[in-house]
Every structure is written in structure tokens, then in C-alpha cells.
């Protein structure tokens, strides 16, 4: 008989039904993103309260967002509400592309995931620099717009970029 290859697979297999590829995907991202040992993820999915929150996210239409934070005590805590007060260290988020249960097959196509910065200004700065500025500065994206609208959008994009950069420098 083939042995489970990770501790998360072993925990899922012990729970019955074999490994859940959704938990494997999420666990793999959490471990890599937060630079943790696999045992930390195994602990999360073996604590009934935490596992219930994660399974509710995966198996129901709502919630559509799951946030997993690393507490100062180095414990992973899942939440379906944004834990601003608890976000003292790094965290990760998972968002459903559609408000429906996440299927076991091709689950990566149904979930968007990424890192949460500890400082929201860093998160905003990354969004502005890496998404908004390139998107709204590309002339191909607004060829059909009236010239005055395109110029106004460009002016506001550069103003936003400058403001975010200035605020980030002050904090």
C-alpha cells in the first residue's frame, strides 16, 4: 500500500476519504509563502475548529474569502473575516473565483491566492505599482476612450502613484 507523501496527506487519509487535493493546494501555498514546516499546516487541519472554517470555505457557496494568519506565537489561524487587529505578521488569502463550492478536480482554477503584507500601505503600494499603473498607463487599454478622459485617467494614475509613494515613505 502506498504511503501518503506529506503530513497533510497523512492527516487527510487518517480523517477518511483519502487526501483532499484542495487542502494539499492550500497547504502547499501556506507552507511555501510563510516559510513553515509542513507540521504547522498539519496542526491547522487537525484542529476541528480550524478545519471546520477551512471546510466551510471549500464546501459552501459562502464565505468566498479565507485568510490564514501566522500569529506572533507562530500558530496558523484561519478566518473568513479580515483580521486587521490580528495581522501583526504575515498572512495569506484564498478567494473563490465563483460563489460556489470548490471542486476537488482542478481546484486551482477555482481559487485565487496570495500573500498579505503586515503593513497595508505596502499592499496598496504593490497593487498600485504592479497592477494599476501598468494597466492604466498602457495606451492600448484606452484607445476607444475620448482623449480628454484618457488624459484625465493618466493624470490621476500618476497622482495616485505619487501619493502612495509619499505616504509609504512617511510611514
Amino acid at each position: 500500500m502506498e504511503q501518503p507523501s506529506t503530513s497533510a496527506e497523512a492527516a487527510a487519509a487518517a480523517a477518511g476519504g483519502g487526501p483532499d487535493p484542495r487542502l494539499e493546494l492550500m497547504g502547499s501555498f501556506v507552507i511555501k509563502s510563510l516559510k513553515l514546516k509542513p507540521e504547522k499546516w498539519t496542526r491547522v487541519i487537525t484542529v476541528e475548529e480550524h478545519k471546520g472554517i477551512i471546510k466551510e470555505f471549500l464546501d459552501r457557496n459562502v464565505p468566498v474569502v479565507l485568510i490564514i494568519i501566522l500569529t506572533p506565537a507562530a500558530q496558523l489561524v484561519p478566518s473568513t473575516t479580515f483580521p486587521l487587529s490580528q495581522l501583526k505578521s504575515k498572512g495569506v488569502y484564498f478567494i473563490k473565483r465563483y460563489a460556489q463550492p470548490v471542486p476537488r478536480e482542478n481546484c486551482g482554477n477555482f481559487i485565487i491566492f496570495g500573500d498579505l503584507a503586515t503593513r497595508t500601505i505596502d499592499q496598496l503600494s504593490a497593487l498600485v505599482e504592479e497592477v494599476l499603473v501598468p494597466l492604466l498607463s498602457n495606451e492600448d487599454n484606452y484607445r476607444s476612450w475620448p482623449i480628454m478622459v484618457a488624459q484625465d485617467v493618466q493624470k490621476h494614475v500618476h497622482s495616485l502613484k505619487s501619493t502612495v509613494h509619499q505616504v509609504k515613505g512617511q510611514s
Side-chain angles (χ1 to χ4, degrees):
M1 183 172 162
E2 189 177 320
Q3 293 294 317
S5 61
T6 67
S7 55
E9 281 181 354
D20 186 336
R22 304 171 302 174
L23 293 175
E24 285 294 307
L25 174 74
M26 294 171 74
S28 174
F29 179 73
V30 168
I31 290 165
K32 288 176 188 168
S33 180
L34 300 178
K35 299 177 179 83
L36 300 172
K37 293 181 179 177
E39 294 78 34
K40 291 283 186 187
W41 176 251
T42 302
R43 263 189 235 137
V44 170
I45 61 173
T46 54
V47 173
E48 283 304 314
E49 180 184 352
H50 296 331
K51 183 178 180 180
I53 292 169
I54 295 169
K55 293 294 272 179
E56 180 181 7
F57 168 76
L58 293 170
D59 295 336
R60 296 188 180 165
N61 292 343
V62 290
V64 295
V65 175
L66 177 71
I67 299 157
I68 300 177
I69 60 167
L70 183 63
T71 66
Q75 298 300 314
L76 292 172
V77 178
S79 175
T80 55
T81 58
F82 200 78
L84 282 177
S85 62
Q86 296 175 346
L87 192 58
K88 304 279 188 252
S89 57
K90 199 170 177 188
V92 296
Y93 64 86
F94 298 90
I95 302 172
K96 292 180 188 176
R97 290 184 188 267
Y98 314 101
Q100 65 185 39
V102 177
R104 288 176 174 255
E105 303 80 29
N106 300 316
C107 55
N109 295 333
F110 292 83
I111 302 175
I112 301 167
F113 43 88
D115 297 325
L116 286 174
T118 54
R119 295 177 19 171
T120 46
I121 190 65
D122 294 337
Q123 198 82 30
L124 177 62
S125 177
L127 175 68
V128 169
E129 293 285 334
E130 297 172 19
V131 178
L132 294 179
V133 170
L135 182 67
L136 296 174
S137 296
N138 185 344
E139 292 179 17
D140 293 339
N141 292 333
Y142 51 83
R143 274 196 184 137
S144 63
W145 297 1
I147 293 172
M148 293 300 289
V149 172
Q151 288 174 344
D152 194 43
V153 167
Q154 282 185 321
K155 182 180 96 179
H156 286 294
V157 165
H158 290 294
S159 174
L160 175 64
K161 180 180 174 182
S162 297
T163 302
V164 169
H165 185 70
Q166 187 177 23
V167 170
K168 185 177 175 187
Q170 291 175 357
S171 60

